[in-house]
Amino acid sequence: MTSRVDLVRQAIRFEDPWRIPLWYVNCDQTDGDVIVYHLSLDREGESGRGTNEWGYRLEKLGDGTMGHPVKPSLPDWEAAEALSPPPLREADRMAAAPAYFGLCEDRYRLASLDLSGFTVYTLVRGFENSMTDFLVEPERSARLLDMIFDWECEVMALAARRGFHGIHFADDWGTQTGLMIAPALWRKLFKPRYQKQFARARELGLETWFHCCGNLTEIAEDFHEIGVDVLNIAQPNVVDVSTVSARLRGKQCFLIPISYQTVSISGTVEQIYAEAERLHDLLGSARGGFLGYVEEYSCMGMSAENYAACAEAFRRLRPGGVRTS
């Protein structure tokens, strides 16, 4: 029997984990093998959850989600070009760390940038402005992108000094059917920036975890090429998992949920078990490369029975393909 930290790393590195590690995302985290610590802060001087340190605000609509952007914080370029990166505020950013480490015991400690990279850019400039910026204002948009990506590298260094094992990015690139921008433009503008971040994380001794909603089939292999350690396909129901499997199975470690748009919401317990087996057969291997992602989604209509079944579905799996009953 290995520690939970070792178990997670064995799965990431294809070093024969004895079972599938689990990450409980938004509740019951101490039931899993990974615990996340949130690094983002509100703007200095504000109390409660308000305006993010980058200046954007997500409005809560009572639907149980993280919120929705109401308006961009800096829609005009004059204000955007005057923007400075947020101060690191290490004492504030790590204020909850002692209690967090007390919960972790031997669990894998994952520091999350929460929303990051491209997503932060779109919240600062607005989505429509952003889509125009990359083509019409390439120099200006490059400076703002570099500010955001470079600042995230500084926060990564802070997390590494505090003893975290991994760094988590959350940057959605997919719609239900494909990418938000052309793959060639993504490879020109964003792939080199992510590569720089992932290389910096390796220098710091951090493993990289990348969350992406939507259909990322076209760029999944790109993430592998630039060194992401754990690729979270957050919506496997819209991704061509068979294609991703043919390209990356046995080479890339995946973090996978039971679809919280389909099976985990409306399926039976038996269908949830079958879906976990299908995804593992496609994306896992006998030596590892697969982690289970368990998220409570009652706001989407998930029953308590199905929530419990999602965790049990991954517990029944074994890396070598033998199922438990």
Side-chain angles (χ1 to χ4, degrees):
M1 189 75 69
T2 59
S3 75
R4 294 181 188 227
V5 176
D6 289 338
L7 175 71
V8 173
R9 284 184 159 158
Q10 286 168 357
I12 293 172
R13 299 171 184 177
F14 294 87
E15 294 176 351
D16 303 311
W18 67 276
R19 65 169 172 82
I20 305 297
L22 296 185
W23 178 14
Y24 281 75
V25 179
N26 57 350
C27 64
D28 300 324
Q29 286 202 51
T30 54
D31 289 346
D33 305 296
V34 179
I35 302 186
V36 70
Y37 182 89
H38 298 284
L39 293 169
S40 65
L41 293 173
D42 283 342
R43 180 164 281 177
E44 200 164 13
E46 291 202 2
S47 59
R49 296 299 297 172
T51 301
N52 178 270
E53 56 196 323
W54 280 105
Y56 63 80
R57 181 186 293 272
L58 299 178
E59 182 176 307
K60 300 288 187 180
L61 300 180
D63 59 0
T65 66
M66 67 188 300
H68 306 268
V70 179
K71 60 181 180 180
S73 57
L74 297 173
D76 69 273
W77 266 117
E78 184 176 347
E81 291 197 304
L83 180 67
S84 297
L88 283 179
R89 296 165 59 193
E90 182 168 353
D92 290 340
R93 209 171 297 279
M94 291 297 166
Y100 167 85
F101 281 105
L103 287 175
C104 278
E105 300 175 355
D106 71 340
R107 291 173 175 84
Y108 186 99
R109 301 187 292 270
L110 183 61
S112 179
L113 293 165
D114 297 314
L115 301 179
S116 59
F118 164 73
T119 301
V120 172
Y121 186 104
T122 64
L123 292 169
V124 170
R125 288 283 296 139
F127 189 80
E128 291 185 13
N129 289 341
S130 300
M131 295 298 100
T132 304
D133 288 349
F134 303 142
L135 297 176
V136 177
E137 297 283 2
E139 293 182 0
R140 283 173 155 174
S141 61
R143 286 194 293 270
L144 182 53
L145 282 173
D146 287 338
M147 179 191 298
I148 294 168
F149 277 70
D150 290 347
W151 180 85
E152 290 172 354
C153 286
E154 292 188 49
V155 177
M156 285 195 297
L158 185 158
R161 292 197 299 271
R162 293 298 186 116
F164 287 89
H165 301 118
I167 187 76
H168 178 255
F169 304 84
D171 209 1
D172 296 337
W173 275 108
T175 68
Q176 294 288 104
T177 57
L179 296 183
M180 296 180 187
I181 67 175
L185 185 60
W186 184 90
R187 292 180 179 115
K188 176 183 177 181
L189 296 183
F190 291 94
K191 187 174 179 177
R193 290 181 166 91
Y194 289 132
Q195 186 169 21
K196 179 181 175 182
Q197 284 188 317
F198 300 163
R200 179 58 179 148
R202 283 195 298 275
E203 291 173 0
L204 294 166
L206 296 170
E207 285 149 336
T208 52
W209 299 52
F210 198 99
H211 161 98
C212 186
C213 283
N215 186 349
L216 51 55
T217 305
E218 290 184 276
I219 58 172
E221 196 168 10
D222 293 272
F223 278 114
H224 176 72
E225 288 172 1
I226 58 179
V228 74
D229 291 299
V230 180
L231 182 59
N232 175 205
I233 296 179
Q235 291 176 271
N237 57 300
V238 303
V239 172
D240 186 344
V241 179
S242 294
T243 293
V244 174
S245 172
R247 295 172 180 172
L248 293 175
R249 182 175 182 267
K251 298 188 290 185
Q252 175 66 56
C253 181
F254 295 97
L255 173 67
I256 303 292
I258 308 297
S259 171
Y260 38 77
Q261 286 184 301
T262 56
V263 182
S264 73
I265 305 299
S266 58
T268 64
V269 168
E270 290 72 23
Q271 287 170 332
I272 289 171
Y273 291 170
E275 178 66 358
E277 291 188 13
R278 183 186 76 88
L279 292 168
H280 182 259
D281 288 345
L282 284 167
L283 297 174
S285 79
R287 301 211 61 191
F290 190 95
L291 296 96
Y293 177 108
V294 182
E295 188 160 7
E296 195 280 327
Y297 253 114
S298 57
C299 66
M300 298 281 287
M302 179 186 285
S303 68
E305 181 182 34
N306 279 14
Y307 170 60
C310 287
E312 180 60 23
F314 292 123
R315 289 196 183 98
R316 290 160 58 94
L317 301 174
R318 287 292 178 266
V322 178
R323 318 296 182 204
T324 63
S325 58

